[in-house]
Amino acid sequence: MEFIGKIFALAVAAIFVQNFVLMRFLGLCPYIGVSKKLDSALGMGMAVIFVMTMASSFTWLIQTHLLVPLKLEFLQTIAFILTIASLVQLVEMIIQKTAPALYKALGVFLPLITTNCAVLGVAILNINDELSFIESVFNGFFAGVGFTLVLLLMAGIRERLEKAEIPPSMKGMPIAMIVAGCMALAFLGFSGLKI
Amino acid sequence: MKYYLKLGFILLIITAFASGILAFINSLTDPIIKINEKKQKEEARLEVHPEAVIFDSVGVLNDEVVYIAKVEDGSIIGYTFMAIKYGYSSDIKTMVGVKPDYSINKIKIISQAETPGLGANCGNPEFHDKFLGLSYDNLLVDKDGGNIISITGATITTRTITNSIKEALNSLEKLLTDHSLEEVAE
Amino acid sequence: MNLFQEFTKGFVKENPVFIMALGLCPTLAVTSSVENAIGMGLAATFVLVFSNMIISLIKNLIPAKIRIPAYIVVIASFVTIVDMVMHAYFPAVHKNLGLFIPLIVVNCIILGRAEAFASKNNLTRSLVDGFGMGFGFTLALVVIGGIREVLGAGQFLGFNVLPETYKPMLVAILAPGAFLVMGLLMGLMNLKKNK
């Protein structure tokens, strides 16, 4: 029972209180780039959740069973990023074979998940916060969910903004940033929420 | 197939070469990092018990060594230990110096990553001063009925630090009692 | 483009942050104070210059198919070097920048310049490009950091620059403030560009 409580607390923290995009500033590049349309945002979000969960598990195993026993912790950055790059490559190949339409829709954004700071970020955070294997996997999953949530909210807002009257210099990136700022203000309200 | 093997091999060479260089630099910087950490803790101990001349280790609390602070003639002027607890957005580590009656001599926040401008102000001397002379029973923030006035907009940070010191004090008493029992048994 | 133009293009015309919208994650995260902004800017510049240098030197030795992973290894190595050196010699800044030092490896600016420039140009031009882009990045960070620190704490580099009666706008150094300042600055840049 305590285990479920712990996982629930992890979920609330990763999705709301310390949302990866709006509070930790991780995953911003794709956040701004892909959030223009709702369906591509959903596809991207799903892919990110999958990669983040798998990345969390693989990097945890590599850290615990390879880097620490061999006293190679200083190779963490290289090892982690190569693991993530390989995972993304794998995901790309799988999606290409099983869902070619989604592959076409995501286009160049799929390989860009490699440089999504949220993926490397959650992998390092799992180690820094000294989470167990199961906790790390769940943390990766929920961080991805938080990312997707914010991505979908942003896409919904931006689809509407297309029709609004915005000063020309604010169109595109600037207004997206302002919207993100307002959302961050809203999420700030979750601060201090502890389970 | 052979082509992919060749590609993988080249990548392996590059990675091995890079790892070699990193291992070399690591051997240079790692000792310095360890020395810095040790020095930081020694300085913190002196700050919370400035008159101490000797520090004798007496046990471990919160993964940090507990020390007895003594002056030149060997008489005990107190103890130092580390209190730690997760605050608003980070682990807060506090070095605490107490007198032999377990009242606080001085504290110093060693590490924290709380909100800048709010909780992060716990690193300021003005915050440390709030704890001078307090003992277990009056370690309470104002909201819990005590005298420690919370930092504006950082009640969680203040309360966490206060509670972390309380919990550590509990464990400290037990640790010291066990230790003196051991000494008697020897 | 002569060498001098190559160097200065990163300052304003092709500023990596404001114009190309790269490297957003660290930009928003470390600009809560000017000191952190400078620290990150210099660290990223170091990685950028050396990666560009190595990559332009070995560009003919790497088969095209594995060039991205190879670049990643090079970049990750220099990031690890910066991490270790900062930890040993600048522990305060290292602690403030925290997670974002290893995250320099996924800073799109560095991989972007490696792919777009260093892999196609000679050593001298790559070095100059690295310095220029790095300086532009640092400049952007300091500008944003300056605004946020002055508004949010009444200080610049830790020195009080506003009168005692100024009540700091805390939101400027919190997460939402980063987005809002960024959005407004980008809007201003667009305004200047369109004039």
Side-chain angles (χ1 to χ4, degrees):
Chain A
M1 202 57 227
E2 194 202 301
F3 177 69
I4 301 189
K6 241 189 184 177
I7 298 297
F8 186 63
L10 218 66
V12 170
I15 302 178
F16 295 109
V17 185
Q18 289 272 340
N19 182 284
F20 267 64
V21 182
L22 297 177
M23 296 303 250
R24 293 205 200 248
F25 299 114
L26 298 173
L28 281 175
C29 294
Y31 176 65
I32 299 290
V34 185
S35 56
K36 290 214 190 98
K37 291 236 171 289
L38 213 50
D39 32 14
S40 58
L42 188 61
M44 173 62 133
M46 295 286 127
V48 166
I49 294 180
F50 182 70
V51 172
M52 277 175 97
T53 314
M54 302 257 52
S56 293
S57 18
F58 278 105
T59 54
W60 192 97
L61 291 170
I62 290 183
Q63 172 83 7
T64 315
H65 296 298
L66 197 67
L67 295 179
V68 172
L70 295 177
K71 296 250 169 107
L72 291 173
E73 288 102 331
F74 60 92
L75 287 181
Q76 187 188 65
T77 309
I78 291 190
F80 279 18
I81 192 64
L82 282 179
T83 311
I84 294 174
S86 325
L87 263 172
V88 173
Q89 193 80 319
L90 196 73
V91 170
E92 212 183 323
M93 288 198 282
I94 295 179
I95 294 189
Q96 197 173 15
K97 292 261 162 71
T98 60
L102 179 64
Y103 181 73
K104 236 169 110 201
L106 288 175
V108 68
F109 291 116
L110 203 45
L112 276 181
I113 297 183
T114 315
T115 55
N116 184 334
C117 12
V119 185
L120 183 60
V122 75
I124 298 180
L125 280 170
N126 287 339
I127 306 297
N128 286 355
D129 292 344
E130 293 176 5
L131 298 180
S132 71
F133 179 68
I134 298 284
E135 286 172 337
S136 296
V137 177
F138 272 108
N139 198 29
F141 177 73
F142 289 126
V145 170
F147 172 79
T148 308
L149 173 72
V150 173
L151 198 64
L152 289 175
L153 287 172
M154 185 64 140
I157 297 178
R158 281 184 95 174
E159 274 193 352
R160 303 260 168 124
L161 271 181
E162 292 284 303
K163 310 189 181 111
E165 290 225 3
I166 308 173
S169 53
M170 291 298 277
K171 277 212 178 116
M173 283 287 277
I175 199 68
M177 281 286 167
I178 305 276
V179 171
C182 297
M183 282 171 65
L185 266 174
F187 269 70
L188 205 58
F190 289 118
S191 57
L193 185 66
K194 245 192 178 157
I195 308 287
Chain B
M1 193 61 219
K2 235 178 163 182
Y3 179 58
Y4 283 111
L5 272 179
K6 180 170 156 228
L7 288 184
F9 189 62
I10 296 183
L11 201 54
L12 192 66
I13 296 191
I14 299 179
T15 314
F17 191 66
S19 308
I21 298 186
L22 288 178
F24 172 64
I25 303 208
N26 187 50
S27 65
L28 294 178
T29 54
D30 201 44
I32 302 184
I33 295 175
K34 295 248 156 60
I35 293 178
N36 279 347
E37 281 175 10
K38 218 174 130 212
K39 225 174 66 169
Q40 206 205 15
K41 296 220 178 95
E42 280 168 9
E43 283 169 5
R45 280 201 293 276
L46 260 175
E47 261 199 67
V48 298
H49 261 304
E51 292 104 30
V53 175
I54 312 169
F55 286 100
D56 282 336
S57 62
V58 74
V60 175
L61 180 58
N62 290 328
D63 287 330
E64 292 291 343
V65 184
V66 177
Y67 287 89
I68 308 179
K70 298 181 181 165
V71 283
E72 271 154 18
D73 61 11
S75 51
I76 299 178
I77 57 167
Y79 310 97
T80 67
F81 59 92
M82 192 82 88
I84 179 169
K85 206 169 166 78
Y86 191 85
Y88 174 74
S89 56
S90 67
D91 266 335
I92 307 181
K93 284 191 180 169
T94 315
M95 180 71 85
V96 185
V98 291
K99 303 207 183 76
D101 64 356
Y102 298 120
S103 68
I104 296 185
N105 193 41
K106 264 188 176 186
I107 69 163
K108 182 172 165 73
I109 307 284
I110 302 283
S111 76
Q112 52 88 11
E114 303 292 274
T115 321
L118 294 173
N121 287 339
C122 67
N124 297 344
E126 297 88 45
F127 181 77
H128 300 158
D129 288 344
K130 295 185 202 228
F131 289 83
L132 292 177
L134 295 182
S135 50
Y136 186 85
D137 293 323
N138 44 29
L139 268 175
L140 291 165
V141 288
D142 46 9
K143 291 206 168 165
D144 295 334
N147 290 325
I148 303 177
I149 303 179
S150 309
I151 304 174
T152 320
T155 40
I156 295 180
T157 307
T158 318
R159 185 182 272 137
T160 302
I161 297 173
T162 312
N163 288 342
S164 72
I165 300 178
K166 261 183 128 162
E167 286 167 18
L169 271 175
N170 261 337
S171 313
L172 177 75
E173 287 206 50
K174 191 169 178 312
L175 187 152
L176 290 172
T177 330
D178 287 347
H179 185 254
S180 47
L181 282 177
E182 273 171 29
E183 278 192 347
V184 169
E186 275 167 19
Chain C
M1 220 193 282
N2 66 30
L3 272 180
F4 184 68
Q5 284 172 322
E6 205 74 78
F7 179 61
T8 55
K9 71 176 192 279
F11 294 6
V12 184
K13 239 189 334 147
E14 284 183 40
N15 187 291
V17 175
F18 291 123
I19 303 296
M20 307 209 277
L22 296 174
L24 290 175
C25 302
T27 306
L28 292 175
V30 310
T31 46
S32 48
S33 79
V34 177
E35 184 186 351
N36 292 345
I38 296 180
M40 173 57 94
L42 291 178
T45 306
F46 174 85
V47 177
L48 188 52
V49 167
F50 278 95
S51 319
N52 267 13
M53 176 175 93
I54 299 288
I55 290 175
S56 92
L57 281 175
I58 63 174
K59 63 181 181 288
N60 296 317
L61 299 171
I62 305 181
K65 269 226 154 186
I66 53 162
R67 69 181 193 288
I68 298 286
Y71 297 165
I72 289 182
V73 172
V74 172
I75 297 173
S77 310
F78 285 112
V79 170
T80 311
I81 294 179
V82 161
D83 192 16
M84 292 196 271
V85 168
M86 278 184 106
H87 199 177
Y89 295 105
F90 304 101
V93 184
H94 178 266
K95 218 198 289 184
N96 282 341
L97 294 180
L99 182 62
F100 286 90
I101 297 182
L103 282 182
I104 295 180
V105 74
V106 288
N107 187 325
C108 335
I109 299 178
I110 305 186
L111 196 59
R113 287 333 276 173
E115 167 75 356
F117 202 88
S119 61
K120 304 188 175 103
N121 285 278
N122 64 28
L123 179 62
T124 322
R125 294 196 97 89
S126 300
L127 276 175
V128 166
D129 177 80
F131 271 112
M133 285 288 159
F135 190 74
F137 181 58
T138 312
L139 202 64
L141 288 181
V142 170
V143 165
I144 301 177
I147 296 179
R148 287 181 70 195
E149 193 178 351
V150 169
L151 284 181
Q155 299 186 332
F156 190 88
L157 273 179
F159 296 109
N160 289 316
V161 291
L162 290 180
E164 284 278 316
T165 48
Y166 176 73
K167 283 276 175 243
M169 259 195 279
L170 265 173
V171 75
I173 45 177
L174 295 178
F179 288 107
L180 295 171
V181 170
M182 190 65 171
L184 291 171
L185 277 175
M186 279 179 161
L188 268 164
M189 280 264 160
N190 276 348
L191 200 69
K192 246 182 137 195
K193 214 168 52 158
N194 294 339
K195 265 222 177 105

